[in-house]
Amino acid sequence: MSQQPVVIGFDLDMTLLDTRPGIAAAWRALAARTGVPIDADLAVSRLGPPLRQEMAEWFPPERVEEAVGIFRALYVDHAITPAVALPGALESLASVRRVPARIAVITSKLGRLAEVHLAHLGIAVDRVYGDVFQAGKAQVLRDIGAAAYVGDHVADMQAAALAGIPGVGVTTGPCSAEELRAAGAAVVYPDLHPFPAFLQGMISVGRAVSGD
């Protein structure tokens, strides 16, 4: 029987990419378009949950859907170009390829917008799963048989725990090391630079256990 390929899941915003400057620009454009005052810096300090959750902080319930539509229409023109890979991100993705294993990006962002981000930076992944959060991410992780999930938010670590796999936390996003550990992270790093060594150790142990 052929062995299933190893799959490693990654969050996008503030795990692989620093998207804050561009997303802040998109929030400012939304404020200008709608006339609604928005603290863009505060909004991007809370990246992770679904867009509608943040939108509800600035718009009344009856305007949230309209605002989401406008924001997404503005997104590509404002948010893509300023995004950069976070420290250790490209090296971490390369380490997954060396296993060899597959890379899945699992994000609360719309999949098509995540794909534009990745394409702009020339980052190749095997699959993008968008518009999922916490339990939704856990379901994707189970469905694809992921071996680990890397993220910066407590909901990412909860998703990994629900899926029964190690959660690798990084403090490049809004959550502290203590919060990530409390949410179930197996390990927490200040950025992704230590991830290749973690992955190699995890894969080596897995092969030893399986007899490969």
Side-chain angles (χ1 to χ4, degrees):
M1 182 181 297
S2 62
Q3 188 179 35
Q4 289 294 317
V6 175
V7 181
I8 306 297
F10 289 87
D11 183 38
L12 186 74
D13 294 301
M14 301 315 302
T15 297
L16 290 176
L17 307 184
D18 185 350
T19 54
R20 290 172 299 186
I23 292 178
W27 279 108
R28 293 186 186 105
L30 177 66
R33 178 72 64 85
T34 61
V36 173
I38 298 170
D39 185 336
D41 293 329
L42 177 58
V44 298
S45 75
R46 301 188 290 222
L47 289 178
L51 175 60
R52 287 175 179 83
Q53 181 172 319
E54 183 63 37
M55 202 65 73
E57 297 290 328
W58 310 105
F59 291 85
E62 66 274 12
R63 293 196 64 190
V64 165
E65 289 305 314
E66 173 198 5
V68 166
I70 296 171
F71 181 87
R72 287 175 171 163
L74 294 167
Y75 192 94
V76 172
D77 287 339
H78 293 84
I80 301 301
T81 302
V84 295
L86 281 162
L90 300 182
E91 297 89 338
S92 293
L93 295 174
S95 74
V96 176
R97 295 299 189 202
R98 288 193 297 269
V99 168
R102 293 183 179 176
I103 299 167
V105 168
I106 307 165
T107 174
S108 62
K109 187 184 299 299
L110 282 186
R112 64 176 175 83
L113 296 179
E115 289 169 353
V116 174
H117 269 299
L118 294 166
H120 177 73
L121 292 172
I123 297 173
V125 303
D126 295 291
R127 287 290 303 272
V128 173
Y129 300 87
D131 203 20
V132 288
F133 186 65
Q134 199 174 32
K137 289 187 175 186
Q139 186 60 56
V140 171
L141 291 166
R142 286 191 292 265
D143 290 346
I144 65 176
Y149 186 53
V150 187
D152 64 280
H153 198 278
V154 294
D156 297 330
M157 301 303 98
Q158 292 163 349
L162 285 169
I165 60 175
V168 179
V170 287
T171 56
T172 44
C175 301
S176 69
E178 292 74 18
E179 290 170 325
L180 294 169
R181 290 190 188 98
V187 294
V188 178
Y189 300 125
D191 58 36
L192 283 171
H193 278 127
F195 177 78
F198 167 83
L199 177 64
Q200 189 57 51
M202 185 188 77
I203 296 299
S204 296
V205 170
R207 286 173 176 162
V209 170
S210 66
D212 292 343

